[in-house]
Amino acid sequence: MSQPPRERFGSRLGFVLAAAGSAIGLGNIWRFPYQAADGGGAAFVLLYLFMTALIGVPMMAAEFIVGRRTGRSPVGALRTLGGRRWIPLGVLYVVTPLVILSYFSIVSGWTLNYALDAIRGFSTTPGERYAAISAGLPAIKNHLVLMVVTTVVVMAGVRKGIERAALVLMPTLAVLLVGLAVWAAARPGASPGYLFYLKPSLAELLDPTVVKQAATQAFLSLSVGMGVMVTYSSYLSKQEDIGREAVVISFSDFSVAFIGGLVVFPVIFALGLSDDVRGATMGALFISLPGAFAEMGTLGRAIGFVFFSALVVAGLTSSFSLLEVGVASIMDELGMGRKVAGLTAGLLATGLGILPAMSLGILGGLDKIVGELFVVGGVLGMALLVGWKVHDPLAELVEGASPLFRRIAPGAIVTIRYVIPPLIAVILFFSVKDAWVLLLGN
């Protein structure tokens, strides 16, 4: 069956914002702060930065190499470069983002609820409010709303849907976050929050659990190890400097996550909520912050609306890319048109989200298993493929590159081949160990 011409991004800015929108998502503002709180604050942030620089940038470049060289979505790309034995890894790259989307859209639904609550007035019993909307029919309803929006945008195509949305949503998100960070800095009592966030503890820097959490957060946030960047780069021309884009997108992602912390931690400490968030779970911020905003009256409602609107926008930018992997794969492998493929993948992700929408335990378990096993395993597989199987990956990396990136590109390939696999193997060992304990219920 003949394939239609491959879609292309309309501009470099469109690609960078779309790919950054995948990396800069709900995980930066929701998942990052509660993981950082659980990992000791500044120690987690430093490890997260280290993982972004050492592993995240080279692995994003690796996925760009695979996607641009083949012009295919994950299954076809890995089959082309590695042969049939690599198809299961390609299938993992399709399954993982659909599963992540199925529960990320639920969390995005929570943020939509709280943005509307800011207009109506926050509940004075935030714990009860969170319990009422986080699972069951309210969660399913908002999950459906977010999935409809995501599916409609992706069905419109790469240029008319994803790129056009990114050109609007990403600047909006940046303005909202910077505004919130400036407001947070002016709060009396914010200083202990900055201290917790920015002063590392040596003991926590050496804690294997914190190292593992920082690594998995970096991979999830950067959208590596799940086929997203393979798919997006399949829409690139040979003139693009993919090494430069990997650096720009990776550190844009870190910057937004860092700014997210500059919003959340000063506010938490200024409002006297630090005890509620230390050892935090995924719902801690959704209980503590709305309650504090409610006590602030009209100003609290205004700030709360901006904060939760930023979370809604961040959730959407990630959702587009997660769904696009499934859509592109269905189009490439089954020969369907974009609209039918978009509807099919959208319905599949929507259906997968019903069960975690009914149970916070299932949602948390999925987040842990997919984030710490599937994604980490996906990063290891990609490193082995590009480092040891793909013929002359350096040639693809330097094509279209500036003189600067041509000089440093060989170092990236050496890192992918020799440094990243053993590091990821150690991280994966601890992830498997923790997942085993979770499954046993200990």
Side-chain angles (χ1 to χ4, degrees), residues 380-392:
L380 178 59
M382 183 60 65
L384 294 174
L385 174 73
V386 174
W388 298 99
K389 186 67 177 178
V390 173
H391 174 68
D392 196 7

Side-chain angles (χ1 to χ4, degrees), residues 82-296:
R84 298 188 64 83
R85 287 183 296 180
W86 288 84
I87 290 177
L89 181 62
V91 173
L92 178 67
Y93 289 152
V94 178
V95 171
T96 298
L98 286 176
V99 175
I100 293 173
L101 175 59
S102 74
Y103 66 84
F104 259 42
S105 68
I106 297 166
V107 181
S108 295
W110 301 348
T111 68
L112 178 61
N113 239 319
Y114 282 113
L116 295 175
D117 279 356
I119 298 173
R120 296 183 295 245
F122 288 112
S123 172
T124 56
T125 54
E128 294 179 7
R129 177 61 175 160
Y130 175 71
I133 68 170
S134 59
L137 291 179
I140 292 175
K141 180 187 70 174
N142 288 318
H143 164 61
L144 293 176
V145 170
L146 270 296
M147 284 305 309
V148 167
V149 174
T150 300
T151 302
V152 168
V153 169
V154 174
M155 286 172 64
V158 172
R159 188 176 299 188
K160 294 181 178 179
I162 296 170
E163 182 174 352
R164 186 174 293 175
L167 288 169
V168 174
L169 293 179
M170 292 308 297
T172 301
L173 178 61
V175 170
L176 292 177
L177 280 179
V178 171
L180 284 168
V182 171
W183 173 80
R187 295 306 90 204
S191 298
Y194 289 116
L195 190 65
F196 174 78
Y197 187 47
L198 301 175
K199 184 177 180 181
S201 162
L202 181 60
E204 287 157 340
L205 282 172
L206 301 176
D207 186 338
T209 299
V210 178
V211 173
K212 180 204 69 178
Q213 289 175 335
T216 55
Q217 173 63 25
F219 303 155
L220 268 173
S221 182
L222 291 170
S223 297
V224 295
M226 60 183 78
V228 169
M229 295 306 172
V230 172
T231 303
Y232 270 14
S233 59
S234 73
Y235 304 127
L236 286 178
S237 71
K238 295 292 186 179
Q239 284 71 48
E240 295 295 335
D241 186 344
I242 55 177
R244 176 191 63 193
E245 311 306 14
V247 172
V248 169
I249 293 164
S250 296
F251 284 98
S252 296
D253 171 77
F254 171 79
S255 298
V256 171
F258 185 75
I259 293 172
L262 292 178
V263 173
V264 172
F265 288 108
V267 171
I268 286 171
F269 279 79
L271 299 178
L273 303 172
S274 57
D275 290 339
D276 296 334
V277 180
R278 291 180 187 270
T281 62
M282 68 179 66
L285 295 180
F286 292 101
I287 297 173
S288 57
L289 288 180
F293 290 146
E295 294 179 3
M296 294 169 62

